[in-house]
Amino acid sequence: MDDLKQKYLSRIADAADEAALEDIRLAAVGKKGEVALKMRELGKMSPEERQTAGPALNALKDEINSALAAKKMALADAALDERLRGEWLDVTLPGRSRPAGTIHPISQVTEEVTAIFADMGFSVAEGPQIDTDWYNFDALNIPGHHPARAEMDTFYMHRAEGDNRPPHVLRTHTSPVQIRHMEKHGAPCRIIAPGRVYRADYDQTHTPMFNQVEGLAIDKDISMANLKWVLEEFFAAFFEVDGIKTRFRASHFPFTEPSAEVDIQCSWEDGQLRIGEGDGWLEVLGSGMVHPKVLRAANVDPEVWQGFAFGMGIDRIAMLKYGIPDLRAFFDSDLRWLRHYGFASLDVPTLHGGLSR
């Protein structure tokens, strides 16, 4: 027994690393180790012999395990000492810079649009993203048979059995904000209404949730000429192109009469879109003079007041200005995309008050 003890304690003391230490443990106290084999022989001994050999074997096992644990700790301490001698830190070096966060392109463009229209006297109006179908459709002269009111195009809120409240929808445009603003403040007014809107659509240029900005100007002598001037001023400021040409094409919207789709001058060179040059045209928004029925729905007398309205997708004009190819990238891309298209904060007022940084 003493020879066995001396053998393994000596081997443990000479172990150079944890791998050698594990081999010693298996050879000594593992399931097939020498101490384990000795314990199996206890069954062949007389009771008197077992009373002597049993405690001695258990003591030997405990002593070997204790020596193994102590050696393992000593090896770990030695490895740490070696690392500390080989590694060092220069505390006089400057700290690592932490990259500042960036503004999402949609937030950036929303702030740009708000600042441009603010220079033209437009204030910002906001409203609920869940609204009644009256504000979203009826007040905007959209009849009950209009395709936009079908469940395949509009998200309707679930209604419990017996719920007699008017149907509610996720707003399909920010036009309800215009109705609510005129109801509360009357005329004259000059507002833009940026915000999220929802439609049941999903492809490269459409997503179920996107961002829109609509404009409304009501006064006693407003005309399509005023609308054209406002939009051309906006395009020139936003795309940073002086003298950008526009084209108005007759169209139909239930909430404006007359109505027009608005195109801007563009060209394609080597697969790259260039705004404000060339002989091509690109549709960017819808507009028109506010329909008298819409004014009446908002308690504004169309015999006294008139005005224009327009609406454009913030996501779309962001894609055009910054060369973002797929609308879906605004919502499902990883941080590498955000770092590529992210913007530094702006020293301009934000929609929520104060400066953006």
Side-chain angles (χ1 to χ4, degrees), residues 42 48 60 84-85 123 125 144 156 162 165 170 180 221 235 243 260 263 270 314 339 349 355:
L42 292 175
E48 293 78 11
L60 176 60
L84 291 175
R85 283 192 296 270
S123 59
Y156 282 82
R165 292 177 301 169
L170 293 179
R180 290 180 176 275
D221 57 356
F235 294 142
D263 305 333
D270 300 323
I314 294 177
R339 283 194 293 269
L355 295 180

Side-chain angles (χ1 to χ4, degrees), residues 186-245:
C189 67
R190 194 181 301 183
I191 62 167
I192 59 169
R196 296 185 182 93
V197 297
Y198 306 84
R199 297 179 190 175
D201 211 349
Y202 189 71
D203 57 35
Q204 186 175 358
T205 57
H206 300 85
T207 53
M209 188 278 285
F210 58 100
N211 298 271
Q212 188 180 58
V213 59
E214 297 193 16
L216 174 71
I218 304 293
D219 214 317
K220 294 183 178 180
D221 57 356
I222 287 183
S223 68
M224 289 286 285
N226 301 121
L227 168 64
K228 187 173 188 293
W229 179 86
V230 166
L231 293 179
E232 287 182 346
E233 287 293 303
F234 168 75
F235 294 142
F238 181 75
F239 291 109
E240 301 175 354
V241 177
D242 292 331
I244 186 170
K245 295 180 181 179

